[in-house]
mmCIF file of all heavy atoms in Angstrom:
data_model
loop_
_atom_site.group_PDB
_atom_site.id
_atom_site.type_symbol
_atom_site.label_atom_id
_atom_site.label_comp_id
_atom_site.label_asym_id
_atom_site.label_seq_id
_atom_site.Cartn_x
_atom_site.Cartn_y
_atom_site.Cartn_z
ATOM 1 N N LEU W 776 58.852 22.158 18.366
ATOM 2 C CA LEU W 776 60.260 22.556 18.457
ATOM 3 C C LEU W 776 60.670 23.191 19.781
ATOM 4 O O LEU W 776 61.782 23.695 19.895
ATOM 5 C CB LEU W 776 60.630 23.519 17.309
ATOM 6 C CG LEU W 776 60.484 22.959 15.889
ATOM 7 C CD1 LEU W 776 60.878 24.018 14.864
ATOM 8 C CD2 LEU W 776 61.364 21.730 15.714
ATOM 9 N N LEU W 794 56.977 15.380 15.500
ATOM 10 C CA LEU W 794 57.097 16.777 15.098
ATOM 11 C C LEU W 794 55.835 17.184 14.358
ATOM 12 O O LEU W 794 55.419 16.522 13.406
ATOM 13 C CB LEU W 794 58.319 16.929 14.196
ATOM 14 C CG LEU W 794 58.840 18.320 13.868
ATOM 15 C CD1 LEU W 794 59.262 19.046 15.145
ATOM 16 C CD2 LEU W 794 60.018 18.216 12.914
ATOM 17 N N PRO W 797 53.298 22.249 11.097
ATOM 18 C CA PRO W 797 53.930 23.565 10.893
ATOM 19 C C PRO W 797 55.416 23.561 11.224
ATOM 20 O O PRO W 797 56.217 24.206 10.543
ATOM 21 C CB PRO W 797 53.150 24.464 11.861
ATOM 22 C CG PRO W 797 51.828 23.790 12.039
ATOM 23 C CD PRO W 797 52.132 22.331 11.992
ATOM 24 N N ALA W 798 55.785 22.808 12.272
ATOM 25 C CA ALA W 798 57.195 22.738 12.641
ATOM 26 C C ALA W 798 58.000 21.993 11.583
ATOM 27 O O ALA W 798 59.162 22.307 11.332
ATOM 28 C CB ALA W 798 57.350 22.058 13.999
ATOM 29 N N VAL W 799 57.375 20.977 10.951
ATOM 30 C CA VAL W 799 58.048 20.239 9.890
ATOM 31 C C VAL W 799 58.412 21.180 8.751
ATOM 32 O O VAL W 799 59.532 21.172 8.229
ATOM 33 C CB VAL W 799 57.152 19.092 9.372
ATOM 34 C CG1 VAL W 799 57.676 18.558 8.038
ATOM 35 C CG2 VAL W 799 57.081 17.975 10.395
ATOM 36 N N GLU W 800 57.470 22.001 8.358
ATOM 37 C CA GLU W 800 57.707 22.933 7.251
ATOM 38 C C GLU W 800 58.811 23.924 7.604
ATOM 39 O O GLU W 800 59.707 24.201 6.791
ATOM 40 C CB GLU W 800 56.415 23.685 6.900
ATOM 41 C CG GLU W 800 56.564 24.604 5.703
ATOM 42 C CD GLU W 800 55.243 25.223 5.293
ATOM 43 O OE1 GLU W 800 54.192 24.823 5.853
ATOM 44 O OE2 GLU W 800 55.258 26.112 4.427
ATOM 45 N N ALA W 801 58.779 24.451 8.820
ATOM 46 C CA ALA W 801 59.807 25.410 9.240
ATOM 47 C C ALA W 801 61.176 24.754 9.298
ATOM 48 O O ALA W 801 62.181 25.319 8.835
ATOM 49 C CB ALA W 801 59.443 25.996 10.599
ATOM 50 N N ALA W 802 61.227 23.544 9.851
ATOM 51 C CA ALA W 802 62.512 22.869 10.031
ATOM 52 C C ALA W 802 63.156 22.485 8.714
ATOM 53 O O ALA W 802 64.383 22.419 8.599
ATOM 54 C CB ALA W 802 62.332 21.636 10.894
ATOM 55 N N SER W 803 62.331 22.223 7.692
ATOM 56 C CA SER W 803 62.877 21.771 6.422
ATOM 57 C C SER W 803 63.218 22.931 5.490
ATOM 58 O O SER W 803 63.923 22.740 4.504
ATOM 59 C CB SER W 803 61.886 20.825 5.729
ATOM 60 O OG SER W 803 60.633 21.482 5.545
ATOM 61 N N ARG W 804 62.733 24.133 5.798
ATOM 62 C CA ARG W 804 62.964 25.266 4.886
ATOM 63 C C ARG W 804 63.712 26.430 5.535
ATOM 64 O O ARG W 804 64.143 27.341 4.846
ATOM 65 C CB ARG W 804 61.619 25.759 4.345
ATOM 66 C CG ARG W 804 60.867 24.683 3.573
ATOM 67 C CD ARG W 804 59.633 25.237 2.884
ATOM 68 N NE ARG W 804 58.876 24.182 2.235
ATOM 69 C CZ ARG W 804 59.170 23.668 1.049
ATOM 70 N NH1 ARG W 804 60.218 24.109 0.393
ATOM 71 N NH2 ARG W 804 58.437 22.705 0.522
ATOM 72 N N ASP W 805 63.841 26.399 6.866
ATOM 73 C CA ASP W 805 64.485 27.505 7.559
ATOM 74 C C ASP W 805 65.709 26.973 8.305
ATOM 75 O O ASP W 805 65.585 26.050 9.126
ATOM 76 C CB ASP W 805 63.484 28.144 8.545
ATOM 77 C CG ASP W 805 64.130 29.250 9.359
ATOM 78 O OD1 ASP W 805 64.294 30.358 8.810
ATOM 79 O OD2 ASP W 805 64.475 28.996 10.521
ATOM 80 N N GLU W 806 66.875 27.527 8.026
ATOM 81 C CA GLU W 806 68.113 27.012 8.596
ATOM 82 C C GLU W 806 68.144 27.127 10.115
ATOM 83 O O GLU W 806 68.607 26.224 10.815
ATOM 84 C CB GLU W 806 69.321 27.737 7.995
ATOM 85 C CG GLU W 806 70.662 27.250 8.521
ATOM 86 C CD GLU W 806 70.881 25.750 8.308
ATOM 87 O OE1 GLU W 806 70.354 25.211 7.307
ATOM 88 O OE2 GLU W 806 71.560 25.128 9.139
ATOM 89 N N ASP W 807 67.612 28.230 10.646
ATOM 90 C CA ASP W 807 67.592 28.382 12.108
ATOM 91 C C ASP W 807 66.749 27.284 12.749
ATOM 92 O O ASP W 807 67.132 26.713 13.778
ATOM 93 C CB ASP W 807 67.037 29.761 12.483
ATOM 94 C CG ASP W 807 67.998 30.890 12.133
ATOM 95 O OD1 ASP W 807 69.198 30.610 11.975
ATOM 96 O OD2 ASP W 807 67.532 32.039 12.017
ATOM 97 N N SER W 808 65.589 26.986 12.135
ATOM 98 C CA SER W 808 64.731 25.918 12.671
ATOM 99 C C SER W 808 65.411 24.570 12.541
ATOM 100 O O SER W 808 65.293 23.709 13.419
ATOM 101 C CB SER W 808 63.386 25.900 11.940
ATOM 102 O OG SER W 808 62.673 27.099 12.172
ATOM 103 N N ALA W 809 66.133 24.375 11.432
ATOM 104 C CA ALA W 809 66.838 23.109 11.240
ATOM 105 C C ALA W 809 67.889 22.905 12.324
ATOM 106 O O ALA W 809 68.078 21.799 12.840
ATOM 107 C CB ALA W 809 67.477 23.075 9.853
ATOM 108 N N VAL W 810 68.592 23.982 12.680
ATOM 109 C CA VAL W 810 69.583 23.909 13.764
ATOM 110 C C VAL W 810 68.903 23.542 15.072
ATOM 111 O O VAL W 810 69.405 22.719 15.864
ATOM 112 C CB VAL W 810 70.343 25.246 13.893
ATOM 113 C CG1 VAL W 810 71.202 25.258 15.156
ATOM 114 C CG2 VAL W 810 71.195 25.499 12.661
ATOM 115 N N LEU W 811 67.740 24.146 15.306
ATOM 116 C CA LEU W 811 66.986 23.858 16.518
ATOM 117 C C LEU W 811 66.559 22.397 16.563
ATOM 118 O O LEU W 811 66.637 21.742 17.609
ATOM 119 C CB LEU W 811 65.753 24.770 16.590
ATOM 120 C CG LEU W 811 64.828 24.599 17.796
ATOM 121 C CD1 LEU W 811 65.592 24.875 19.085
ATOM 122 C CD2 LEU W 811 63.628 25.530 17.683
ATOM 123 N N VAL W 812 66.110 21.864 15.423
ATOM 124 C CA VAL W 812 65.700 20.461 15.363
ATOM 125 C C VAL W 812 66.889 19.560 15.688
ATOM 126 O O VAL W 812 66.771 18.625 16.489
ATOM 127 C CB VAL W 812 65.124 20.108 13.973
ATOM 128 C CG1 VAL W 812 64.964 18.595 13.840
ATOM 129 C CG2 VAL W 812 63.785 20.779 13.768
ATOM 130 N N ARG W 813 68.048 19.835 15.078
ATOM 131 C CA ARG W 813 69.225 18.991 15.330
ATOM 132 C C ARG W 813 69.604 18.993 16.816
ATOM 133 O O ARG W 813 69.916 17.953 17.390
ATOM 134 C CB ARG W 813 70.405 19.471 14.481
ATOM 135 C CG ARG W 813 70.305 19.093 13.013
ATOM 136 C CD ARG W 813 71.630 19.284 12.288
ATOM 137 N NE ARG W 813 71.980 20.693 12.164
ATOM 138 C CZ ARG W 813 71.618 21.478 11.151
ATOM 139 N NH1 ARG W 813 70.879 20.966 10.164
ATOM 140 N NH2 ARG W 813 72.001 22.741 11.098
ATOM 141 N N ALA W 814 69.530 20.180 17.430
ATOM 142 C CA ALA W 814 69.867 20.263 18.849
ATOM 143 C C ALA W 814 68.847 19.506 19.694
ATOM 144 O O ALA W 814 69.203 18.770 20.627
ATOM 145 C CB ALA W 814 69.935 21.727 19.279
ATOM 146 N N ALA W 815 67.571 19.688 19.361
ATOM 147 C CA ALA W 815 66.526 19.026 20.136
ATOM 148 C C ALA W 815 66.558 17.517 19.954
ATOM 149 O O ALA W 815 66.362 16.759 20.911
ATOM 150 C CB ALA W 815 65.156 19.581 19.732
ATOM 151 N N LEU W 840 65.159 16.597 6.861
ATOM 152 C CA LEU W 840 64.763 16.127 8.186
ATOM 153 C C LEU W 840 65.593 14.925 8.618
ATOM 154 O O LEU W 840 66.008 14.824 9.782
ATOM 155 C CB LEU W 840 63.275 15.774 8.177
ATOM 156 C CG LEU W 840 62.331 16.987 8.130
ATOM 157 C CD1 LEU W 840 60.932 16.564 7.719
ATOM 158 C CD2 LEU W 840 62.297 17.691 9.474
ATOM 159 N N SER W 843 68.783 15.986 9.851
ATOM 160 C CA SER W 843 68.717 16.603 11.180
ATOM 161 C C SER W 843 68.614 15.567 12.291
ATOM 162 O O SER W 843 68.594 15.921 13.466
ATOM 163 C CB SER W 843 67.507 17.544 11.258
ATOM 164 O OG SER W 843 67.640 18.607 10.335
#
Side-chain angles (χ1 to χ4, degrees):
L776 299 180
L794 192 61
V799 165
E800 184 174 352
S803 57
R804 300 188 184 279
D805 176 78
E806 181 57 31
D807 290 340
S808 296
V810 171
L811 179 60
V812 169
R813 285 194 291 271
L840 287 163
S843 297

